[in-house]
């Protein structure tokens, strides 16, 4: 049991809360242009708050030519007319706050749009004072780029600039020139951008491409790709030591944290695809880095099976520095949806996993409905990453609100920017709210169960050894209250001995509706694909 530790600081909202990612183009279109917008989001806030989540993270809403759908920013301190106005954003933030929802924006510091005035100046001449805000280099002769660095979207990361006779670097599309983070002016400008939004009441940032911000000044070639360990990201044909996780990048994470700490109660979340030991370094040696370096272990693993999940969770728990707060992600706008990766039934189990593991969960819009990827006909593919063979469009399709025209995403007659799912008439918010067996009903129950059972939020984590394969089970415990989560990822039904968690308990949530009541933990039957949350006596 033990007395509560009165010296421990109260947990922050981003530790106890659940984050919900909205891809603004695809959530709700209020004006009929086929692209979602801020007013659309505002009109759907009751739904979001009703889910029981605590914060929304908006993918970029800034002025942009949309070469990478907003991740190419032409003005860091305004809103693109496609999404609305600054006033609309202020109104959305006020409406969200009134419902107890925080608002997190996407910060994209690695690159701007080539339409940004900074880049116009930089490319105007070699001696322009902004030249060095971007990364320019001479070629190797005969039109060959400076080195073998590749764009993460495929092809060389260098674009020739005829007017000034040098190449500029773009780790993504050529419409996204990389900013030079070794230039103090760039740092100051981006920190001012942060303050601009924090002053407006934004609750934090998800920082795009944080792990690639600083580039090696030697500009040497990257070595060829080594075989990947389980869970590591594989992009392109080369390792990326020349620009991946340079020591200066961690220093920038600390500087950003210092800015955000000028304000109360804000959070920084980082997009970082690195092996565990290097990922957790972004918490900072004194926990003075970012609060939540995104943990993509469940996203990048090629197999979501019981054994691999246990290995991922246990390794992550063991790697976390003292005092660092964990977090989990199942999907985002860059990867196939969970229902497509593991199928609709297993996606229910994965949802139970995400919402019961120790740490802050981030939910991708539509995953609560069990939305799978939509097959996009080749002529309708719009993602710039498709050039490298990996279109992300299928995971970005319009939210399915109801069985009406355009699934309630946009007015009748509007043309959504990406096709709707063929099954939207059955799989939508209205239908799922009415169906106690729906993924949405399970999702809402899980969030309620989190609220009602403190160990699921702040309790310790311990995985269980189980005879036979297929099952992943763990115990969450706090102040003598114990909750068991048992997930059968296997193909067969089984009767598990989970006596190590306790003798008996009561089911508080089940992926299938027909399970409730008391259970004997030494002989716990679990169907294939079945998951249970049990309050242990
Ligand atoms: C991040 C974003 C992705 C974008 C890329 C370039 O990985 O999540 O959508 O294309 O950065 O900004």
């Amino acid at each position: 049991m033990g007395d509560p530790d009165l010296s421990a600081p109260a947990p922050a909202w981003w530790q106890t809360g659940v984050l919900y990612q909205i891809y603004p183009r695809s959530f709700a279109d209020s004006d009929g242009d086929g692209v979602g917008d801020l007013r659309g989001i505002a009109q759907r806030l009751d739904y979001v708050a009703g889910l029981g989540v605590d914060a929304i993270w908006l993918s970029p809403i800034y002025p942009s030519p949309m070469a990478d759908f907003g991740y190419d920013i032409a003005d860091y301190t305004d809103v693109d007319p496609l999404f609305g106005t600054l006033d609309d954003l202020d109104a959305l933030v006020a409406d969200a706050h009134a419902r107890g929802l925080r608002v997190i924006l996407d910060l994209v510091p690695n690159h701007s749009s080539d339409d940004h005035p900074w880049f116009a100046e930089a490319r105007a001449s070699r001696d322009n004072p902004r030249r060095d805000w971007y990364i320019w280099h001479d070629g190797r002769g005969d039109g060959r780029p400076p080195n073998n660095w590749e764009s993460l979207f495929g092809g060389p990361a260098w674009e020739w600039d005829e007017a000034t006779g040098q190449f500029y670097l773009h780790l993504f599309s050529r419409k996204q020139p990389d900013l030079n983070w070794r230039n103090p002016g760039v740092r100051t400008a981006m920190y001012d951008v942060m303050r601009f939004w924090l002053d407006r009441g934004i609750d934090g940032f998800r920082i795009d491409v944080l792990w690639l911000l600083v580039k090696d000044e030697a500009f040497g070639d990257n070595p060829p790709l080594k075989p990947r360990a389980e869970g590591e990201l594989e992009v392109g044909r080369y390792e990326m030591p020349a620009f991946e996780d340079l020591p200066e990048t961690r220093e920038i994470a600390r500087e950003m944290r210092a800015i955000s700490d000028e304000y109360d109660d804000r959070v920084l979340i980082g997009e970082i695809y690195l092996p565990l030991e290097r990922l957790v370094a972004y918490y900072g040696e004194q926990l003075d880095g970012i609060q939540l370096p995104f943990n993509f272990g469940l996203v990048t693993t090629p197999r979501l099976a019981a054994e691999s999940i246990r290995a991922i969770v246990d390794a992550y728990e063991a790697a976390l520095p003292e005092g660092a707060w964990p977090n989990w992600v199942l999907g985002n706008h860059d990867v196939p949806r969970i229902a497509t990766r593991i199928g609709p039934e297993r996606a229910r189990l994965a949802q139970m996993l995400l919402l019961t593991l120790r740490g802050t969960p981030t939910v991708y819009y539509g995953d609560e409905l069990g939305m799978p990827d939509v097959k996009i006909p080749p002529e309708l593919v719009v993602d710039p990453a498709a050039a490298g063979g990996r279109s992300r469009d299928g995971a970005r399709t319009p939210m399915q609100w109801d069985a009406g025209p355009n699934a309630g995403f946009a007015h009748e007659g509007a043309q959504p920017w990406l096709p709707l799912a063929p099954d939207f008439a059955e799989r939508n918010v209205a239908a799922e709210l009415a169906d106690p067996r729906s993924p949405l009903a399970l999702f809402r129950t899980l969030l309620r169960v989190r609220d009602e059972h403190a160990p699921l939020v702040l309790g310790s984590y311990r995985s269980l050894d189980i005879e036979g394969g297929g099952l992943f089970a763990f115990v969450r415990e706090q102040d003598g209250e114990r909750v068991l989560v048992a997930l059968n990822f296997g193909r067969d039904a089984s009767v598990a001995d989970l006596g190590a968690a306790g003798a008996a308990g009561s089911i508080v949530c089940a992926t299938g509706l027909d399970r409730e009541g008391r259970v004997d933990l030494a002989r716990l039957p679990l169907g294939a694909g079945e998951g249970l949350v049990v309050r242990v006596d």
Side-chain angles (χ1 to χ4, degrees), residues 38-120:
L38 295 175
R39 288 189 181 193
I41 296 171
Q43 289 162 6
R44 298 294 188 176
L45 273 188
D46 283 337
Y47 165 76
V48 178
L51 287 173
V53 302
D54 300 272
I56 53 176
W57 147 35
L58 305 180
S59 283
I61 41 83
Y62 317 105
S64 163
M66 303 289 164
D68 189 18
F69 300 106
Y71 282 95
D72 48 322
I73 297 172
D75 179 353
Y76 282 93
T77 54
D78 205 347
V79 169
D80 194 284
L82 199 57
F83 295 125
T85 63
L86 261 183
D87 285 345
D88 291 332
L89 184 67
D90 287 342
L92 175 63
V93 172
D95 288 355
H97 285 171
R99 289 168 175 78
L101 286 171
R102 315 271 177 154
V103 181
I104 295 167
L105 293 184
D106 219 305
L107 182 74
V108 186
N110 180 67
H111 44 267
S112 71
S113 159
D114 62 345
D115 269 8
H116 196 294
W118 295 339
F119 191 64

Side-chain angles (χ1 to χ4, degrees), residues 25-47:
R25 295 182 69 87
S26 302
F27 202 60
D29 170 19
S30 73
D31 59 9
D33 64 1
V35 177
D37 46 52
L38 295 175
R39 288 189 181 193
I41 296 171
Q43 289 162 6
R44 298 294 188 176
L45 273 188
D46 283 337
Y47 165 76

Side-chain angles (χ1 to χ4, degrees), residues 68 71 108 111 153 172 176 206 208-209 271 333-334 392 396:
D68 189 18
Y71 282 95
V108 186
H111 44 267
F153 287 171
F172 294 87
Q176 295 165 294
R206 173 270 190 188
D208 190 64
V209 189
E271 185 200 27
H333 62 294
D334 292 329
R392 301 164 294 181
R396 298 175 172 182

